[in-house]
């Protein structure tokens, strides 16, 4: 078991948090992390893009002019892809971009990324994220004291004050530990964990 320092929001020491060697000793696996990020981002794609083929565009099927005798190139339909407003060749059509990967692989990717951030000292643990006020200025000053002006905030439950104080800060994102994913962890250099949230994440990733 390894012990990590826990701080108050004013950056003063608040004790220690024990994390298992199995969690902290997870090696960094860049290929697994990359696969998990690709799977997450692919799932965000709506896949609603669409183009019309020559059979779907609006127009007549009548031959625009006779085959021979006009001196012009032969044409069978104005829906030809060669014509303006004609059909699109090999254009995109609605599809599902989602990718499936094993749940164990996703958990290992997240565990790998978190362990690496702990080794790089890019994770800060605070005793509690309960704010006395909803003022953004006050919350911003507390984060600066922690050295985390831009960070992902992971808590057990998002309080009304925390939600109000953080929603106008473009470089800060607050998320519940139940919704934590690999993309959010990698998107920010610093991650601020509430003590109880990190303990819950560890338990979930090792189960």
């Amino acid at each position: 078991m390894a012990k990590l320092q826990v701080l108050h929001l004013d950056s003063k020491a608040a004790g220690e948090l024990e994390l298992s060697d199995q969690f902290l000793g997870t090696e960094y696996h860049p290929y697994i992390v990359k696969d998990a990020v690709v799977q997450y981002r692919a799932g965000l794609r709506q896949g609603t893009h669409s183009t019309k083929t020559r059979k779907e565009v609006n127009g007549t099927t009548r031959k625009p002019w006779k085959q021979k005798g006009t001196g012009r190139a032969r044409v069978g339909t104005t829906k030809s892809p060669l014509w303006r407003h004609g059909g699109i060749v090999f254009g995109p059509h609605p599809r599902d971009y989602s990718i499936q990967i094993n749940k164990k692989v996703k958990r290992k990717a997240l565990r790998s990324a978190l362990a690496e951030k702990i080794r790089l000292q890019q994770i800060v643990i605070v005793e509690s994220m309960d704010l006395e006020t909803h003022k953004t200025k006050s919350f911003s000053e507390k984060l600066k004291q922690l050295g985390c002006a831009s960070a992902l905030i992971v808590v057990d439950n998002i309080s009304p004050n925390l939600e109000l104080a953080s929603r106008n800060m473009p470089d800060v994102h607050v998320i519940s530990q139940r919704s934590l994913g690999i993309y959010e962890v990698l998107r920010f250099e610093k991650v601020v964990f509430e003590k109880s949230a990190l303990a819950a994440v560890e338990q979930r990733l090792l189960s």
Side-chain angles (χ1 to χ4, degrees):
M1 301 289 284
K3 295 182 179 180
L4 300 180
Q5 186 180 30
V6 180
L7 304 174
H8 288 297
L9 281 177
D10 57 3
S11 74
K12 294 181 180 178
E16 294 178 331
L17 173 65
E18 288 189 355
L19 294 177
S20 69
D21 295 333
Q22 183 183 357
F23 179 76
L24 292 176
T26 305
E27 295 182 11
Y28 185 62
H29 300 279
Y31 294 107
I32 293 179
V33 170
K34 176 253 183 186
D35 288 343
V37 171
V38 169
Q39 188 262 350
Y40 172 82
R41 290 179 58 84
L44 296 178
R45 300 187 67 174
Q46 292 183 340
T48 55
H49 44 31
S50 182
T51 54
K52 292 183 178 180
T53 62
R54 60 188 297 163
K55 71 177 181 179
E56 294 170 326
V57 295
N58 188 29
T60 179
T61 57
R62 180 177 178 270
K63 191 173 175 66
W65 53 75
K66 63 181 183 178
Q67 181 85 347
K68 295 179 178 294
T70 64
R72 305 183 67 180
R74 54 193 176 189
V75 178
T77 174
T78 56
K79 296 182 180 183
S80 168
L82 301 178
W83 279 50
R84 186 166 179 260
H85 302 307
I88 302 299
V89 180
F90 303 131
H93 297 287
R95 55 166 290 193
D96 180 13
Y97 281 94
S98 63
I99 302 171
Q100 298 298 322
I101 63 174
N102 193 293
K103 288 183 180 180
K104 291 183 179 180
V105 174
K106 289 178 67 175
R107 283 202 300 267
K108 188 173 183 178
L110 181 56
R111 192 169 73 239
S112 172
L114 289 174
E116 183 68 8
K117 277 192 170 290
I118 291 174
R119 285 191 287 268
L120 295 175
Q121 297 182 348
Q122 294 177 349
I123 284 183
V124 177
I125 308 171
V126 296
E127 180 68 28
S128 174
M129 267 292 171
D130 291 334
L131 303 180
E132 297 177 355
T133 175
H134 64 279
K135 296 294 185 179
T136 299
K137 182 178 180 180
S138 174
F139 181 52
S140 177
E141 290 174 352
K142 291 182 182 299
L143 289 181
K144 287 179 181 178
Q145 287 180 347
L146 293 171
C148 303
S150 173
L152 173 69
I153 313 294
V154 186
V155 296
D156 245 340
N157 297 293
I158 303 175
S159 65
N161 280 350
L162 179 59
E163 183 177 4
L164 291 172
S166 63
R167 69 180 180 180
N168 199 32
M169 301 175 67
D171 297 327
V172 173
H173 181 55
V174 178
I175 191 173
S176 167
Q177 56 89 6
R178 290 175 289 276
S179 302
L180 182 64
I182 184 72
Y183 184 71
E184 287 83 8
V185 171
L186 297 179
R187 185 178 154 208
F188 294 87
E189 181 181 359
K190 291 287 186 73
V191 182
V192 179
F193 270 98
E194 198 173 40
K195 181 179 178 180
S196 57
L198 182 55
V201 169
E202 178 197 19
Q203 184 179 5
R204 186 172 76 245
L205 294 180
L206 293 178
S207 59

